[in-house]
Amino acid sequence: MDLQSLPLPESFIRACIAKGITSLYPPQAECVNQGLLEGKNQLISIPTASGKTLLAEMAMWARIAGGGKCLYIVPLRALASEKYEEFSRKGVIRVGIATGDFDRTDAYLGENDIIVATSEKTDSLLRNKTPWLSHITCIILDEVHLIGSENRGATLEMVITKLRYTNPGMQIIGLSATIGNPAQLAEWLNAALITSTWRPVDLRQGVYYNGKIRFQNSERPIQAKTKHDDLNLCLDTIEEGGQCLVFVSSRRNAEGFAKKAAGALKTGSPDSRSLADQLRKLRDRDESNILADCVERGAAFHHAGLLRQERTIIEEGFRNGYIEVISATPTLAAGLNLPARRVIIRDYSRFSSGLGMVPIPVGEYHQMAGRAGRPHLDPYGEAVLLAKDAPTVERLFETFIDAEAERIDSQCVDDSSLCAHILSLIATGFAHDQGALASFMERTFYFYQHPKTRSLPRLVSDAVLFLIAAEMVQESQGRLSATQLGNLVSRLYLNPCTARLILDNLKSCEAPTLIGLLHVICVSPDMQRLYLKSADTQLLRTFLFKNKDDLILPLPFEQEEEELWLSGLKTALVLTDWADEVSEKQIEERYGIGAGDLYNIVDSGKWLLHATERLVSTQISELSSVISTLAIRVQHGVKPELLPLVALRNIGRVRARSLYNAGYQDPQSLVNAGIPTIARIIGEGIARQVIEDISGVKNSGKKKYNNDGESREKTQYLT
Ligand code: ADP
């Protein structure tokens, strides 16, 4: 089907042609034939790289041409940025990205034609009654199979259910590569199901054992250049001009493999050396940089412990062909568009608590295998599993290659998330009594999967009882409404259990210590906690021996709760060190974590402290300023005396400390010293900008704040 024959805006067609897209792939043509451009709902379950994004864009441009507005919902922030950039490149239409704080309506975003957002952000926009949501005429659900994900699925399902309720006529497009029960999901969405196994590049799936890859109908010998099978498979592909992705189960394995591959590749290129320099500059320390050392030779590792900028450099470097092999944990398979000629799935079992090592889900295998073969660049793609012995070869074919992906099951009645969603339904006026709540819940995928369930009304009424006891919901003559606290908790996007935990524990505490306060926040269901490792035991024991009395929460008796309590303590200790200006390197070494982990918990801690401050200001106002100061300390990683300095744009923890130690302790002292003196400490450019900012504030009365726009708390330090 010729793209130019379609009723789509000329500018869109021109932009596609410029990218080399002139006609539709067969599954794309099928979607168009089934009414994609006329606003029909579709669940599109087709393989990776078969062009789902283009389908979403065609549907969106068709709606926008008719005066509509589209919401593109993704599971990860990194994917939101990738899609935002991709849609923006076509020009003409206005594209916005919603990734900011959870308690804002982001009214300005409504001016865009397409808004890209994560499901959590969309949920928070719904809870804050964002007006432009009612103008949405098309939603795209990227990676819609994540409705079955234990931790994220419930939010996605509730978001879809709410939007279908408020915007009944809108078009719904679900995109997914791997679903075991697509017909059921399509029926729930009232969507036509489009499935296909067509791929733009032929995919060969096989198992490596004893010097050969066995495919379904053929074999391929692999030369043994080293004693490592996984490495030989890589070198074989690189030698014939391809690239490799190697999936392994842990960060340590990813780093180990990249080092091994770098050792074998040896030389690298001027381009890979320049990438390595970029990586070294990101970490302004003299320490050895293993990632940069590997990249210099054309190998890299990729996992959640890396900084976001590091991951972006690696992804770009791989797309441009400067990096020949990436070893990665499975997070890389979740959505990012990073194909390679050969994908090696080296570790296909994973540790599961209580079960030991279990095979990874078939859906996950297909996600990884689907990355094989770069359209227009590779003649074919190969996905290869590694067998340890002959009997395993057959077993791997059965367990993964020939197996169907798992069914997806609704997660929306899981206890803690159900309470949060019921509160939001009451607070935002979706339902005012138990009957309305039950009939809303009957619109969910859960009810679609369990139409005969008798437990739904009970689950709903248990959640309501919990919310009444938690003083977040009140009932009068059968009518439910949110209390002031309930409204606040819903708007702050807090789990009601988190809010209760914080209020109950801080209320009874006259002068909480820093660690005590952070520990409460870090055990809450909303905190992203660090994993406990056996090496942490000593560190935590030593801390408890000396400082147990600083904690607010007592050590629980139940083993499962104890684990949570201890991992919360580890996370709180990291945040405390960060706020006490311990260097990043020391923190990483002390707790065995990566820079990306530190970034993630600082981000999560900052948001929860901000929410805590809002919570306590209504009930325990005397703690409000303590927490507001702590929130800024955690945000910037500084001791209290640096707060006036980090309020300035482009002054972070390192520059603020240098200025402070040189005797400049507040903005006025910088102005008094003058640009030449300050430039000697923080460089000419920054010194000029900072002093101009401060003078500008004084002259115009307008304030210039530090880089992320979170200015509210900082104003007090600029006087
Ligand atoms: P998916 O989301 O299904 O994994 P993408 O939408 O990322 O796949 O598409 C993979 C690649 O194929 C992209 O580079 C895209 O531009 C390209 N592509 C999509 N449709 C076509 C087409 N009809 N003709 C040529 N290239 C296409």
Side-chain angles (χ1 to χ4, degrees):
M1 189 181 278
D2 188 357
L3 196 66
Q4 273 178 311
S5 67
L6 299 176
L8 282 165
E10 198 40 52
S11 44
F12 176 76
I13 293 175
R14 250 186 281 121
C16 289
I17 293 172
K19 249 186 98 182
I21 301 175
T22 50
S23 60
L24 295 188
Y25 289 153
Q28 292 172 331
E30 176 66 18
C31 293
V32 169
N33 286 335
Q34 293 213 32
L36 180 86
L37 304 181
E38 286 90 58
K40 293 271 163 43
N41 293 349
Q42 296 191 338
L43 175 64
I44 303 169
S45 179
I46 58 178
T48 308
S50 52
K52 290 186 279 297
T53 311
L54 184 72
L55 283 166
E57 281 187 288
M58 291 199 295
M60 292 194 290
W61 278 74
R63 296 288 74 71
I64 294 163
K69 195 182 281 302
C70 309
L71 181 62
Y72 193 103
I73 301 178
V74 290
L76 300 169
R77 272 201 209 185
L79 266 182
S81 313
E82 189 184 296
K83 296 297 173 198
Y84 168 75
E85 273 153 33
E86 187 164 353
F87 301 154
S88 305
R89 255 180 253 132
K90 298 220 165 50
V92 186
I93 53 162
R94 293 159 299 181
V95 186
I97 180 165
T99 54
D101 291 341
F102 281 137
D103 56 347
R104 298 208 307 238
T105 62
D106 293 341
Y108 64 94
L109 275 174
E111 289 159 19
N112 294 296
D113 303 304
I114 297 177
I115 296 115
V116 186
T118 58
S119 27
E120 284 75 15
K121 179 66 192 182
T122 310
D123 195 15
S124 85
L125 291 168
L126 279 158
R127 291 184 193 198
N128 284 285
K129 301 184 184 167
T130 304
W132 55 260
L133 279 175
S134 60
H135 304 142
I136 295 293
T137 52
C138 171
I139 51 167
I140 311 288
L141 309 165
D142 202 351
E143 310 280 340
V144 66
H145 57 274
L146 289 175
I147 246 186
S149 140
E150 265 180 43
N151 13 344
R152 323 271 310 275
T155 301
L156 178 59
E157 182 175 342
M158 292 304 281
V159 160
I160 299 171
T161 312
K162 284 183 193 171
L163 282 169
R164 288 178 79 187
Y165 185 79
T166 50
N167 303 17
M170 77 182 173
Q171 181 179 22
I172 305 172
I173 308 281
L175 305 175
S176 176
T178 42
I179 314 185
N181 49 341
Q184 195 180 34
L185 186 62
E187 274 171 35
W188 175 61
L189 291 172
N190 191 20
L193 172 64
I194 287 125
T195 55
S196 164
T197 51
W198 184 92
R199 283 177 46 102
V201 191
D202 181 31
L203 173 64
R204 303 175 190 167
Q205 301 180 76
V207 179
Y208 173 86
Y209 174 64
N210 201 16
K212 288 189 250 190
I213 310 174
R214 285 135 223 258
F215 295 108
Q216 254 122 350
N217 304 317
S218 61
E219 287 187 343
R220 175 170 177 160
I222 300 293
Q223 219 189 334
K225 297 209 155 141
T226 72
K227 60 180 189 322
H228 305 287
D229 291 338
D230 47 9
L231 188 56
N232 293 336
L233 280 164
C234 265
L235 296 175
D236 179 66
T237 301
I238 293 168
E239 209 159 77
E240 61 162 36
Q243 292 167 292
C244 262
L245 276 179
V246 185
F247 285 106
V248 295
S249 57
S250 70
R251 294 176 184 187
R252 185 190 296 227
N253 287 346
E255 297 190 17
F257 186 85
K259 279 197 241 170
K260 203 162 71 176
L265 291 170
K266 290 195 183 80
T267 48
S269 64
D271 291 319
S272 64
R273 282 192 280 281
S274 135
L275 283 185
D277 287 344
Q278 285 180 44
L279 288 166
R280 287 196 181 98
K281 279 191 198 126
L282 282 179
R283 309 229 180 186
D284 55 353
R285 316 173 192 151
D286 296 331
E287 73 193 75
S288 64
N289 186 325
I290 301 169
L291 180 64
D293 295 346
C294 291
V295 166
E296 196 167 316
R297 294 163 170 205
F301 52 90
H302 189 291
H303 57 60
L306 298 180
L307 290 172
R308 194 147 33 99
Q309 299 98 306
E310 288 173 331
R311 278 183 280 172
T312 309
I313 291 176
I314 294 164
E315 288 156 18
E316 277 305 308
F318 193 73
R319 277 190 201 112
N320 292 328
Y322 307 152
I323 294 176
E324 289 170 309
V325 50
I326 296 184
S327 49
T329 51
T331 39
L332 186 79
L336 283 185
N337 183 16
L338 208 64
R341 183 172 303 177
R342 184 174 284 166
V343 171
I344 301 167
I345 297 119
R346 199 192 73 175
D347 301 343
Y348 38 80
S349 305
R350 179 177 304 147
F351 184 77
S352 166
S353 132
L355 297 172
M357 295 303 277
V358 293
I360 57 169
V362 181
E364 199 172 307
Y365 161 75
H366 285 301
Q367 287 262 7
M368 294 175 186
R371 307 268 144 217
R374 294 194 303 161
H376 318 301
L377 294 173
D378 288 330
Y380 56 85
E382 286 178 348
V384 186
L385 290 147
L386 264 77
K388 293 180 186 72
D389 48 39
T392 312
V393 176
E394 236 358 84
R395 195 169 50 80
L396 289 177
F397 267 96
E398 272 167 32
T399 316
F400 296 111
I401 300 175
D402 301 331
E404 291 282 315
E406 290 80 6
R407 293 168 45 86
I408 51 168
D409 287 310
S410 165
Q411 303 293 322
C412 87
V413 296
D414 153 70
D415 276 358
S416 110
S417 65
L418 185 64
C419 281
H421 291 300
I422 295 285
L423 174 62
S424 89
L425 289 173
I426 297 170
T428 45
F430 273 93
H432 290 298
D433 54 45
Q434 301 245 8
L437 281 172
S439 50
F440 181 89
M441 293 303 290
E442 284 174 10
R443 296 164 174 262
T444 58
F445 185 47
Y446 177 82
F447 192 74
Y448 199 83
Q449 289 195 302
H450 308 94
K452 298 208 173 97
T453 179
R454 298 231 184 106
S455 55
L456 197 56
R458 185 181 46 77
L459 290 169
V460 169
S461 92
D462 283 355
V464 170
L465 286 176
F466 171 85
L467 291 166
I468 292 174
E471 295 168 11
M472 295 181 201
V473 163
Q474 56 205 5
E475 186 166 22
S476 161
Q477 294 172 335
R479 207 177 149 77
L480 299 169
S481 60
T483 61
Q484 197 187 2
L485 174 64
N487 269 315
L488 181 64
V489 170
S490 171
R491 273 187 285 115
L492 288 173
Y493 202 65
L494 279 180
N495 185 311
C497 301
T498 299
R500 224 34 283 171
L501 176 86
I502 292 174
L503 288 173
D504 291 346
N505 284 290
L506 297 193
K507 244 182 205 162
S508 54
C509 181
E510 273 173 24
T513 58
L514 181 64
I515 183 70
L517 218 152
L518 285 171
H519 185 220
V520 171
I521 285 163
C522 288
V523 300
S524 77
D526 283 315
M527 183 68 193
Q528 193 169 344
R529 267 177 295 281
L530 293 166
Y531 285 110
L532 272 184
K533 297 183 189 156
S534 46
D536 299 326
T537 320
Q538 190 53 39
L539 189 104
L540 297 180
R541 253 198 219 135
T542 314
F543 170 83
L544 288 173
F545 184 67
K546 290 196 206 144
N547 311 81
K548 203 162 110 249
D549 294 341
D550 290 345
L551 298 179
I552 300 169
L553 300 170
L555 185 67
F557 294 114
E558 298 279 335
Q559 196 195 345
E560 208 172 299
E561 285 177 34
E562 185 187 340
E563 250 174 56
L564 190 149
W565 190 94
L566 287 170
S567 66
L569 180 59
K570 175 179 175 184
T571 312
L573 284 169
V574 171
L575 288 178
T576 315
D577 278 0
W578 171 248
D580 279 339
E581 292 180 47
V582 177
S583 78
E584 284 175 50
K585 182 171 181 236
Q586 266 179 302
I587 295 179
E588 286 167 32
E589 281 172 6
R590 191 175 292 170
Y591 301 96
I593 59 173
D597 300 308
L598 179 61
Y599 174 87
N600 286 339
I601 61 163
V602 165
D603 209 37
S604 183
K606 182 183 92 180
W607 161 60
L608 272 172
L609 282 164
H610 164 66
T612 303
E613 188 230 316
R614 300 274 301 275
L615 264 185
V616 299
S617 66
T618 60
Q619 312 224 346
I620 334 168
S621 53
E622 60 280 12
L623 278 185
S624 192
S625 74
V626 176
I627 292 170
S628 126
T629 305
L630 179 55
I632 314 172
R633 285 187 57 200
V634 165
Q635 179 179 348
H636 295 283
V638 293
K639 291 183 181 165
E641 68 259 27
L642 295 191
L643 291 178
L645 292 173
V646 290
L648 298 166
R649 194 155 58 102
N650 287 329
I651 298 295
R653 68 195 312 237
V654 176
R655 288 189 183 126
R657 178 52 62 195
S658 309
L659 288 168
Y660 190 93
N661 289 350
Y664 306 102
Q665 301 175 354
D666 54 31
Q668 189 55 49
S669 64
L670 303 182
V671 176
N672 294 348
I675 294 171
T677 312
I678 298 305
R680 267 182 250 127
I681 307 166
I682 55 172
E684 164 88 27
I686 303 274
R688 184 172 300 283
Q689 168 246 302
V690 165
I691 289 176
E692 279 173 8
D693 276 2
I694 304 168
S695 312
V697 171
K698 289 212 172 300
N699 296 339
S700 70
K702 284 200 189 135
K703 297 178 169 81
K704 296 230 172 159
Y705 306 111
N706 214 326
N707 34 27
D708 61 358
E710 277 186 303
S711 51
R712 204 170 44 84
E713 302 94 330
K714 292 175 190 151
T715 54
Q716 55 194 307
Y717 302 107
L718 273 167
T719 46

